[in-house]
Amino acid sequence: MTLLNPYFGEFGGMYVPQILMPALFELEKHFIAAQQDLDFQKKIDDLLKNYAGRPTPLTLCRNLTIGTKTRIYLKREDLLHGGAHKTNQVLGQAMLAIRMKKKEIIAETGAGQHGVATAIACSLLNLKCRIYMGIKDIKRQSTNVCRMKLMGAQVIPVTNGSGTLKDACNEALRDWSKNHKTSHYMIGTAAGPHPYPTIVREFQKVIGTETKKQILEKENKLPDSIIACVGGGSNAIGIFSNFIDNHKVSLIGVEPAGRGIETGKHGAPLTHGRTGIYFGMKSYLMQNKEGQIENSWSISAGLDFPSVGPEHAWLKSINRAQYVSINDEEAIFAFQTLCEKEGIIPALESSHALAYALKIMKINSKKEQLLIVNLSGRGDKDINTVNNFLKKEKYNEPI
């Protein structure tokens, strides 16, 4: 029996081999105890403040909105140590691993941001670390692979399937099935079997908590909309979580439309998938008529995932959050625009959210509106991808 509800509405659950159930029960038990342990919470808060660099700023875009009545703020998770929001929750999970007396960490990564964050936490807290990464992602995120190795992590190439995050997740889960007594599987997003979606959300809630306090200080009111990219969904659920009960605040998750929904090369299960079982949970999936998981696609490796966290599936089902999609070209344009107008290089993941904010601004240019975009990570890792896209597409002059 679980101690917490493993479901969000009809979504979530624990669809894993029986051999892993004791490990999930153990993790849930230690997570609940840690949440009630003031010393544990004090240590987490100290690491977030004095190691990771929280609170992150809420930055008003000075030039992006000129000529409109829109005000856009960026929640600057790109300025967190490690370069992305991922650091928030890996510190928490690493401390949970120590609490459970686990000596090794298993992880998977797509864009490499979760891998880098995991390597950081393991280096800091003296844990061994092996990270599964698809061969395709290793090639397009070579800089992050180098960073992981420098911090002592073992990066294991995954050549199965499409060589992306989906296949890395499968390999990590197989490893954990064999080694769960000595290892903790550090899932990087708010997905997977219970209790991972809850654990990741709770460690990422700090984004939304800070954002609400900061926007009230700056504008003395809540925003009209909060916009965040959605792959697995951890940055989005982190910033949404403290606004779910504020029903006048529109919550907008942006999935990757990739090369275009009509091409089938996208990563938008919430808007163009259907319900199924994958990665230990019930949620929306990209799947064919026979129920087989389809390969996802996005120019952003971090959004290249065929499913999504179950809490997002639930928020969609009750119409509390709206989910939309942005294609590669639109994301690249937003990436360039933020660089040129504000001197900030956003991650390609975050560029999807920014692109949708620019759409809202353009459609309602005469309307007074206050938008917050969660800038989930920095885009240094994506420079070569963007440059190659611009050269290939002749969309604009190469950087």
Side-chain angles (χ1 to χ4, degrees):
M1 285 287 289
T2 59
L3 301 171
L4 300 171
N5 183 357
Y7 288 97
F8 302 91
E10 66 171 298
F11 303 100
M14 305 168 82
Y15 299 90
V16 296
Q18 190 63 33
I19 192 173
L20 286 177
M21 294 301 284
L24 292 171
F25 290 147
E26 179 191 25
L27 177 59
E28 183 192 49
K29 182 183 75 173
H30 282 276
F31 169 68
I32 292 170
Q35 291 293 92
Q36 298 167 351
D37 184 340
L38 293 180
D39 186 56
F40 183 93
Q41 295 301 321
K42 187 177 177 182
K43 287 177 180 174
I44 287 283
D45 291 344
D46 180 69
L47 285 177
L48 290 174
K49 179 180 178 181
N50 295 309
Y51 181 75
R54 301 211 74 90
T56 58
L58 188 67
T59 301
L60 177 65
C61 292
R62 296 172 180 269
N63 305 314
L64 203 60
T65 57
I66 289 175
T68 76
K69 292 185 177 180
T70 300
R71 290 169 74 77
I72 297 179
Y73 282 88
L74 306 174
K75 180 57 175 166
R76 301 294 305 280
E77 294 300 291
D78 59 313
L79 296 181
L80 196 67
H81 178 50
H85 71 292
K86 299 289 188 182
T87 306
N88 296 321
Q89 72 100 11
V90 295
L91 290 172
Q93 283 203 52
M95 288 187 60
L96 277 179
I98 293 170
R99 192 181 180 96
M100 292 186 290
K101 304 189 185 308
K102 310 285 186 182
K103 303 292 184 184
E104 299 179 339
I105 297 295
I106 300 165
E108 88 298 311
T109 192
Q113 292 294 67
H114 173 57
V116 168
T118 301
I120 286 171
C122 290
S123 174
L124 178 70
L125 299 174
N126 298 313
L127 292 162
K128 288 185 178 178
C129 176
R130 54 183 179 276
I131 299 168
Y132 291 88
M133 191 169 187
I135 193 72
K136 178 180 171 183
D137 292 336
I138 285 177
K139 289 178 182 174
R140 58 180 172 176
Q141 296 295 341
S142 59
T143 304
N144 273 341
V145 173
C146 182
R147 294 167 75 192
M148 286 180 252
K149 290 181 176 178
L150 282 171
M151 288 182 280
Q154 179 188 8
V155 180
I156 302 174
V158 176
T159 57
N160 299 338
S162 59
T164 61
L165 179 59
K166 170 175 75 76
D167 310 292
C169 288
N170 290 338
E171 288 304 310
L173 204 55
R174 287 192 187 98
D175 186 337
W176 196 42
S177 296
K178 291 186 288 187
N179 299 295
H180 60 88
K181 290 184 179 177
T182 57
S183 303
H184 170 65
Y185 180 15
M186 190 177 285
I187 289 181
T189 191
H194 175 77
Y196 281 103
T198 298
I199 288 175
V200 174
R201 180 200 63 206
E202 288 302 303
F203 286 136
Q204 293 289 9
K205 277 175 73 172
V206 64
I207 306 173
T209 302
E210 284 179 11
T211 300
K212 179 176 279 188
K213 180 181 177 185
Q214 290 167 326
I215 197 65
L216 288 173
E217 289 174 351
K218 291 176 183 293
E219 297 283 346
N220 198 30
K221 62 179 181 180
L222 295 178
D224 296 299
S225 299
I226 293 178
I227 307 163
C229 64
V230 176
S234 64
N235 90 90
I237 207 66
I239 195 166
F240 287 177
S241 58
N242 211 31
F243 293 90
I244 290 174
D245 293 334
N246 300 113
H247 288 270
K248 290 185 178 179
V249 179
S250 174
L251 306 178
I252 302 173
V254 185
E255 296 187 302
R259 291 181 177 173
I261 296 299
E262 69 285 355
T263 69
K265 289 187 173 296
H266 62 83
L270 275 166
T271 46
H272 297 281
R274 56 195 172 92
T275 305
I277 305 294
Y278 173 67
F279 198 40
M281 63 182 177
K282 182 179 181 182
S283 188
Y284 283 91
L285 314 178
M286 292 178 58
Q287 52 188 317
N288 62 22
K289 291 180 181 177
E290 290 74 37
Q292 296 297 311
I293 306 300
E294 291 186 315
N295 290 333
S296 56
W297 168 266
S298 172
I299 195 170
S300 169
L303 300 182
D304 191 359
F305 187 58
S307 187
V308 65
E311 192 165 0
H312 286 293
W314 173 65
L315 290 174
K316 173 185 167 71
S317 72
I318 62 172
N319 295 317
R320 177 60 191 97
Q322 173 191 1
Y323 294 91
V324 298
S325 56
I326 285 288
N327 65 35
D328 292 346
E329 190 170 305
E330 292 170 319
I332 292 283
F333 177 75
F335 180 101
Q336 290 180 292
T337 301
L338 195 66
C339 291
E340 292 171 1
K341 298 291 186 183
E342 303 290 344
I344 297 171
I345 303 176
L348 274 175
E349 291 92 330
S350 315
S351 299
H352 287 71
L354 181 66
Y356 196 75
L358 296 178
K359 271 191 174 181
I360 294 175
M361 182 178 76
K362 186 177 180 181
I363 292 169
N364 303 304
S365 62
K366 307 255 183 229
K367 178 182 176 184
E368 287 190 7
Q369 51 189 347
L370 180 59
L371 311 179
I372 295 177
V373 174
N374 194 18
L375 208 69
S376 58
R378 69 183 184 219
D380 309 50
K381 65 183 176 59
D382 296 319
I383 292 295
N384 289 335
T385 301
V386 172
N387 198 29
N388 290 338
F389 180 92
L390 296 176
K391 284 179 180 175
K392 185 177 179 182
E393 301 294 325
K394 296 181 180 177
Y395 180 74
N396 205 332
E397 290 299 316
I399 293 172

